[in-house]
Amino acid sequence: MESSPAGSPHLRWHPLKREWVGYSGARQGRTFLPSTDDCPLCAAREGRVGEIPFDDFEIAVFENRFPAFTAGAETPPVLEGVTTAPARGRCEVIVYSADHNASLGALDDGRLDLLIEVWGTRIEALEAMGFAAVLPFENRGEEIGVTLHHPHGQIYAFDFIPVQIARAAEAQRDAPVVADLIAQTDRALFLQDGGAAVSLVPPFAMYPYEVWLAPRRRVASPAGLTGEERAALAQALGDAVRRLDALFGAPMPYILTVQTAPRGFADTFHMTIEIRPFRRDKGKLKYLAGVEQGSGIFLVDVSPEEAAARLRAVLP
Amino acid sequence: MESSPAGSPHLRWHPLKREWVGYSGARQGRTFLPSTDDCPLCAAREGRVGEIPFDDFEIAVFENRFPAFTAGAETPPVLEGVTTAPARGRCEVIVYSADHNASLGALDDGRLDLLIEVWGTRIEALEAMGFAAVLPFENRGEEIGVTLHHPHGQIYAFDFIPVQIARAAEAQRDAPVVADLIAQTDRALFLQDGGAAVSLVPPFAMYPYEVWLAPRRRVASPAGLTGEERAALAQALGDAVRRLDALFGAPMPYILTVQTAPRGFADTFHMTIEIRPFRRDKGKLKYLAGVEQGSGIFLVDVSPEEAAARLRAVLP
């Protein structure tokens, strides 16, 4: 932790983007690609104990040691001309398996079912603690800066509704966007259709080979899924990741987010699991360049129709 | 060009982001890191002619051969459940120098002054052609997917105002955000102060070591700068890039955007040149991960105060 007043986690308002930006100097020192022997997410074994004091586990959840948001966030610095706020929230790590070399695509459907159940129970617990929005996500792949290889995701809870989450929730309140997507999209864009959950390349994908998953029925969060829906979503999730990994013959670096209803939107929000891959071709990563940064318009090289056709064909 | 109807450049509306997404399958085939001998941006010489049919030049501008937006954009595909639009606009390439190995930081102040002047004349010309918003930008560095090393930028003109540009323009119409930034920000965040142009690390920076430049006087676009302002901006621009390059002893990969007034906002917009570096430490790049993607909240590891102190100290 730095000693400067600007060093402890806090938020500053960006007056042109009209969104909060988070600052947390302490995260620069977080663990970076440790050797397998030193992995803090492996189960405890003789001679060493990482973050998880058990000799085996299925799924483990604990608070992030390098949090960008904390329940007891300090008073933010006072800066001339800048609106600041405490970075109030909670950051959790969710480890998917005791197996250091596993990945979402390698886990069996039972474990993926449990993962979705744990997302639901954590969302309920964090909402009960008073947080306004909860975001489970996974950053996968050294290519996109992942600092620990052991398969894991994270869960962030915020004491306010971030602008982008509010915008999507308002859009869903104005129109049943996700139900329409499932009902109206060309069936050729679907990876899985017909069951209690669907997976598809959205026709407005922002990344090549982007895949969305959703329960067919409008459910606001994983906590509201029936057992049948959870099982269908688990099966579709494993299938989607295996297709992405098969596409270029290497584990696909991706960002996975679980978009769930923020406070006040439970009656109109339809949850989605969104996977944004970062490899657009063998040896080529997708970057946000000048057009994306300067205008907000994403440029996509691979049409959703072509992406879906390739993802459907790559595995039986 | 693909033969599928979705293969020609067009836009699709993202109903949850509430922004356009651009599709252009043809760009996947664009030139990728050619050898220096085959560089299409070098001046013509015996035996080969690239894009520029002259044996020397100072700054060259021409239409992009792989445009994401064109004046004669075709009718977009009709897709069930998706709002589409033609990708109307114009994409230009702007080459900074005939020297293949130059860079913004290596050009002399006179050439940078000319570059800013050319940005202004192209913006005026593209506005006269009827475009609603013009975005000059530069993607620099193989690390972030730049496909040609020869120093160059691009200019995109849109026949509508992209949502993010509109949001920033509306914010500036509601309050003099940039003038306030210049007047109120802690002087310790400034790289250059006191002249007709300033450079500073904005206190709400979204990237470590982000630098903004602006004329002190409110000017809507480079076309409106006085000679004195242009010279001051040119000097500050070269200085900023040299500091970024010196920071980690290697050319800094960055996105540079020139944010100018879109149609209807010329009376309230204050132009900025914004440089967003992608290296946050030696060997570590900044990526947009799950929190940024899923919530819109950027997380920054290096405080603007610390970034400014380092950038000020790294060169005399």
Side-chain angles (χ1 to χ4, degrees):
Chain A
M1 185 69 71
E2 298 158 47
S3 58
S4 77
S8 61
H10 63 276
L11 303 175
R12 304 184 188 187
W13 185 250
H14 192 301
L16 292 176
K17 263 194 99 196
R18 295 183 158 179
E19 297 194 43
W20 290 108
V21 182
Y23 297 87
S24 52
R27 298 179 74 242
Q28 184 82 287
R30 66 189 184 273
T31 313
F32 187 69
L33 295 178
S35 71
T36 303
D37 281 351
D38 293 329
C39 175
L41 307 185
C42 276
R45 58 178 185 277
E46 208 176 320
R48 57 166 299 286
V49 178
E51 297 282 352
I52 305 163
F54 300 102
D55 61 8
D56 196 16
F57 61 89
E58 290 185 286
I59 287 185
V61 179
F62 54 88
E63 267 201 273
N64 195 322
R65 281 180 55 206
F66 301 98
F69 295 84
T70 59
E74 291 170 41
T75 306
V78 175
L79 299 166
E80 182 73 29
V82 189
T83 303
T84 60
R88 268 200 212 105
R90 185 175 161 103
C91 298
E92 297 182 343
V93 176
I94 174 166
V95 186
Y96 300 161
S97 166
D99 178 359
H100 183 83
N101 297 310
S103 88
L104 265 199
L107 299 176
D108 63 31
D109 287 354
R111 182 63 60 87
L112 291 172
D113 191 302
L114 181 61
L115 172 61
I116 296 170
E117 185 177 347
V118 172
W119 282 337
T121 54
R122 291 314 305 155
I123 289 168
E124 282 192 319
L126 291 160
E127 286 175 351
M129 289 165 74
F131 293 114
V134 181
L135 177 71
F137 65 92
E138 179 188 354
N139 303 328
R140 191 227 249 188
E142 200 176 326
E143 297 93 331
I144 55 170
V146 173
T147 52
L148 292 172
H149 282 310
H150 195 117
H152 72 287
Q154 301 181 60
I155 302 175
Y156 273 35
F158 308 96
D159 79 338
F160 64 101
I161 306 181
V163 170
Q164 186 175 302
I165 291 177
R167 195 174 294 136
E170 286 158 10
Q172 292 211 39
R173 190 184 53 198
D174 295 348
V177 174
V178 178
D180 288 350
L181 178 71
I182 295 171
Q184 296 172 7
T185 298
D186 184 349
R187 293 355 259 180
L189 290 181
F190 281 72
L191 304 184
Q192 303 235 345
D193 191 11
V198 302
S199 56
L200 75 165
V201 177
F204 45 79
M206 293 159 60
Y207 286 81
Y209 309 104
E210 183 172 335
V211 176
W212 288 23
L213 302 100
R216 184 176 301 278
R217 183 175 66 96
R218 190 192 67 70
V219 179
S221 124
L225 296 167
T226 65
E228 184 197 357
E229 288 166 338
R230 206 168 54 229
L233 210 46
Q235 190 276 328
L237 178 58
D239 175 73
V241 174
R242 285 187 291 274
R243 288 180 189 279
L244 290 169
D245 287 347
L247 200 58
F248 300 118
M252 176 67 90
Y254 64 68
I255 304 291
L256 177 153
T257 60
V258 185
Q259 308 284 163
T260 68
R263 184 158 61 207
F265 291 91
D267 292 343
T268 51
F269 199 94
H270 194 144
M271 69 160 282
T272 53
I273 300 174
E274 305 177 5
I275 307 178
R276 299 193 168 83
F278 276 69
R279 187 173 288 131
R280 62 185 176 85
D281 207 343
K282 277 198 170 71
K284 295 185 190 177
L285 295 183
K286 163 76 181 171
Y287 298 90
L288 301 197
V291 183
E292 280 92 349
Q293 298 277 353
S295 77
I297 298 175
F298 274 62
L299 294 180
V300 190
D301 287 1
V302 181
S303 76
E305 293 71 25
E306 193 182 335
R310 289 192 190 167
L311 286 170
R312 285 162 63 122
V314 74
L315 286 182
Chain B
M1 185 69 72
E2 297 158 48
S3 58
S4 76
S8 62
H10 63 276
L11 303 175
R12 305 183 186 188
W13 185 250
H14 194 302
L16 291 177
K17 262 194 100 196
R18 295 184 158 178
E19 297 194 44
W20 290 108
V21 182
Y23 298 87
S24 52
R27 299 178 74 244
Q28 184 83 288
R30 65 189 185 273
T31 313
F32 187 70
L33 296 178
S35 71
T36 303
D37 280 352
D38 293 331
C39 175
L41 306 185
C42 276
R45 59 179 185 276
E46 210 176 318
R48 58 165 301 285
V49 178
E51 298 281 351
I52 304 162
F54 300 102
D55 61 8
D56 195 17
F57 60 88
E58 291 186 285
I59 287 185
V61 178
F62 53 89
E63 266 201 271
N64 196 322
R65 282 181 56 206
F66 302 98
F69 295 83
T70 60
E74 291 172 40
T75 307
V78 176
L79 298 167
E80 182 74 29
V82 189
T83 304
T84 60
R88 270 203 211 102
R90 186 175 160 103
C91 298
E92 298 183 342
V93 176
I94 175 167
V95 186
Y96 301 161
S97 166
D99 178 359
H100 183 82
N101 296 310
S103 87
L104 266 200
L107 299 176
D108 65 31
D109 287 354
R111 183 63 60 85
L112 292 171
D113 191 301
L114 181 61
L115 172 62
I116 296 170
E117 185 177 347
V118 173
W119 283 336
T121 55
R122 291 313 305 156
I123 289 168
E124 282 191 319
L126 291 160
E127 286 175 350
M129 290 165 73
F131 294 113
V134 182
L135 177 71
F137 64 92
E138 179 188 353
N139 304 328
R140 191 226 250 186
E142 201 177 322
E143 296 94 331
I144 55 169
V146 173
T147 54
L148 293 172
H149 282 311
H150 195 116
H152 72 288
Q154 300 180 63
I155 302 175
Y156 272 35
F158 309 95
D159 78 337
F160 63 100
I161 306 181
V163 170
Q164 186 176 302
I165 292 177
R167 194 174 297 138
E170 286 159 9
Q172 291 210 39
R173 190 184 53 200
D174 295 349
V177 174
V178 178
D180 287 350
L181 178 70
I182 296 170
Q184 296 173 8
T185 297
D186 184 347
R187 294 353 257 180
L189 291 181
F190 281 71
L191 305 183
Q192 302 235 345
D193 191 11
V198 302
S199 57
L200 74 165
V201 177
F204 44 79
M206 292 160 59
Y207 287 80
Y209 308 105
E210 184 172 335
V211 176
W212 287 23
L213 302 100
R216 182 176 302 278
R217 183 175 65 97
R218 190 192 66 71
V219 179
S221 123
L225 295 167
T226 65
E228 183 198 356
E229 288 165 339
R230 206 168 55 230
L233 209 45
Q235 190 276 327
L237 177 58
D239 175 74
V241 173
R242 284 187 292 274
R243 288 179 188 279
L244 290 169
D245 288 348
L247 200 57
F248 301 118
M252 176 66 90
Y254 63 69
I255 305 291
L256 177 153
T257 61
V258 185
Q259 308 284 162
T260 68
R263 184 157 61 209
F265 291 91
D267 292 342
T268 50
F269 199 94
H270 194 143
M271 70 160 283
T272 52
I273 300 174
E274 305 178 3
I275 307 177
R276 298 191 169 85
F278 276 68
R279 188 172 287 131
R280 62 183 176 86
D281 207 343
K282 275 199 172 71
K284 295 186 191 179
L285 295 181
K286 163 76 182 171
Y287 298 90
L288 301 196
V291 183
E292 280 92 349
Q293 298 277 353
S295 77
I297 298 174
F298 274 62
L299 294 180
V300 189
D301 287 0
V302 182
S303 76
E305 293 70 25
E306 192 181 338
R310 291 191 190 167
L311 286 169
R312 285 161 63 121
V314 74
L315 287 182

